[in-house]
């Protein structure tokens, strides 16, 4: 996929209007980085900025687009991982678990470590769950999917293996604990719950959004604004096509008002 954000939003809306995808409500959940996490994020952002400036100079001198250096790619990946594994996501997950009542919800995790942290929460809340990981046997995977399909469990926790074309039983809700800027991943993950299996289906998409600590120092302003802008690009695509679009816009505006960030 090579969609721009605008094209992707248009694609989703058209698919919903034509009945290929189900209507849905979108529920952003906000996880705050702590000061230690955000300081590391800020430091990495400064280093990335320096490397990007060097990269642009090389491109200017060469007169052509050049691939990023391995060092710059690694920096970008490490910074992205800070967002994906922000510790407050575990707290948000716990609160979310206590509030939900429906069964058959897909939960997308980053890795086994994060999954284990979520499982620890689930064991305390008494929620019924199964996992789906690439290192499980074929029989274990089949059993997990069958439990999920039969409605015997409330949550199916999965890592990236669910992005690779697996035919997940129909469900109407998901929680994105860990997301990325990949358009391919974006489309596939939401597609798991937006399949229009009947005309009455309305799916629920819960999405954990990472934001800076509310009391970040002024010298970290650029990093805070950059993070918010990046996260809101994804939120806006999902909010624009959601049945509860206006409610989401109002919620985001209230939540982020101290960042002086405009959602429209």
């Amino acid at each position: 996929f090579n969609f721009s954000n605008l094209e992707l939003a248009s694609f989703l809306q058209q698919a919903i209007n034509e009945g290929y995808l189900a209507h849905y409500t979108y529920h952003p959940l906000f996880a705050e980085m702590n000061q230690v996490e955000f300081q590391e994020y800020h430091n990495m952002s400064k280093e990335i900025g320096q490397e990007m400036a060097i990269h642009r100079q090389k491109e200017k001198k060469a007169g052509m687009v050049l691939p990023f250096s391995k060092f710059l790619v690694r920096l970008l990946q490490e910074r992205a991982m800070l967002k994906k594994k922000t510790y407050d996501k575990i707290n948000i997950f716990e609160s979310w678990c206590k509030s939900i009542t429906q069964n058959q919800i897909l939960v997308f995790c980053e890795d086994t470590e994060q999954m284990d942290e979520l499982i620890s929460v689930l064991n305390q809340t008494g929620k019924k769950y199964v996992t789906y990981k690439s290192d499980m046997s074929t029989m274990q995977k089949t059993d997990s999917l069958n439990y999920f399909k039969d409605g015997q469990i409330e949550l199916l926790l999965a890592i990236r293996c669910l992005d690779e074309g697996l035919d997940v039983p129909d469900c109407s809700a998901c929680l994105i604990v860990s997301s990325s800027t990949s358009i391919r991943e974006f489309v596939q993950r939401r597609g798991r719950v937006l399949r229009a299996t009947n005309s009455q289906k309305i799916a629920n998409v819960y999405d954990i959004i990472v934001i800076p600590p509310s009391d970040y120092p002024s010298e970290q302003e650029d990093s805070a604004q950059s993070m918010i802008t990046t996260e809101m690009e994804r939120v806006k695509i999902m909010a624009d096509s959601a049945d509860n679009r206006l409610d989401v816009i109002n919620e985001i505006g209230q939540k982020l008002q101290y960042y002086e960030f405009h959602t429209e």
Side-chain angles (χ1 to χ4, degrees):
F1 298 103
N2 292 309
F3 295 135
S4 68
N5 288 341
L6 182 61
E7 288 170 333
L8 180 56
S10 177
F11 164 80
L12 287 174
Q13 190 61 63
Q14 182 178 354
I16 291 170
N17 293 342
E18 296 179 359
Y20 294 107
L21 293 179
H23 283 258
Y24 68 92
T25 58
Y26 182 60
H27 308 276
L29 309 171
F30 297 93
E32 276 197 17
M33 274 191 173
N34 60 42
Q35 292 181 340
V36 173
E37 290 171 331
F38 192 63
Q39 181 65 59
E40 187 174 357
Y41 182 90
H42 173 66
N43 293 342
M44 279 193 175
S45 295
K46 287 172 61 178
E47 193 169 4
I48 287 170
Q50 294 168 356
E51 291 297 317
M52 286 295 292
I54 294 172
H55 178 77
R56 285 191 290 267
Q57 285 294 326
K58 289 180 178 178
E59 287 187 327
K60 184 177 180 180
K61 185 176 181 180
M64 59 185 292
V65 176
L66 298 173
F68 288 162
S69 68
K70 291 182 179 180
F71 179 61
L72 179 53
V73 170
R74 181 172 61 80
L75 284 176
L76 290 167
Q77 291 173 339
E78 289 178 354
R79 186 180 65 172
M81 190 60 66
L82 285 173
K83 285 204 301 184
K84 290 180 179 182
K85 301 186 72 172
T86 298
Y87 186 76
D88 192 39
K89 286 185 175 185
I90 307 304
N91 299 324
I92 298 302
F93 178 74
E94 182 174 7
S95 297
W96 174 81
C97 280
K98 293 177 180 178
S99 68
I100 58 168
T101 57
Q102 70 184 105
N103 288 358
Q104 293 176 294
I105 302 177
L106 278 172
V107 178
F108 292 101
C109 312
E110 176 57 30
D111 54 23
T112 300
E113 181 183 2
Q114 186 177 69
M115 180 182 283
D116 288 343
E117 291 175 333
L118 301 184
I119 286 173
S120 178
V121 171
L122 291 174
N123 288 338
Q124 295 174 24
T125 60
K127 295 288 184 182
K128 296 179 180 179
Y129 66 89
V130 290
T131 61
Y132 193 104
K133 301 187 293 180
S134 58
D135 60 356
M136 291 167 56
S137 69
T138 300
M139 182 177 293
Q140 288 174 320
K141 293 177 182 178
T142 300
D143 287 344
S144 288
L145 293 180
N146 286 338
Y147 286 134
F148 187 69
K149 181 179 181 180
D150 295 341
Q152 297 180 47
I153 52 95
E154 294 160 280
L155 304 169
L156 171 60
L157 278 65
I159 309 177
R160 278 181 290 273
C161 45
L162 277 182
D163 299 329
E164 303 302 328
L166 179 68
D167 186 21
V168 178
D170 180 54
C171 62
S172 60
C174 71
L175 169 66
I176 313 295
V177 178
S178 176
S179 191
S180 80
T181 57
S182 165
I183 298 301
R184 175 176 174 273
E185 178 184 287
F186 187 105
V187 172
Q188 285 184 321
R189 288 191 171 186
R190 276 68 177 182
R192 300 298 180 189
V193 296
L194 298 185
R195 286 183 293 188
T197 51
N198 65 74
S199 60
Q200 303 302 315
K201 178 179 176 178
I202 299 179
N204 297 305
V205 177
Y206 301 91
D207 195 4
I208 298 184
I209 310 302
V210 178
I211 57 177
S214 56
D215 55 350
Y216 65 86
S218 58
E219 62 266 22
Q220 296 176 349
E221 177 71 24
D222 288 347
S223 296
Q225 292 292 335
S226 176
M227 175 185 287
I228 291 295
T229 299
T230 300
E231 291 291 277
M232 288 304 107
E233 286 176 355
R234 187 178 82 253
V235 170
K236 190 175 187 304
I237 292 171
M238 289 306 291
D240 279 350
S241 299
D243 287 2
N244 62 334
R245 175 181 181 274
L246 294 180
D247 291 338
V248 174
I249 289 175
N250 289 335
E251 180 183 357
I252 292 172
Q254 293 173 14
K255 182 67 178 179
L256 303 182
Q257 60 184 344
Y258 48 75
Y259 295 111
E260 299 180 359
F261 182 86
H262 302 289
T263 58
E264 295 191 89

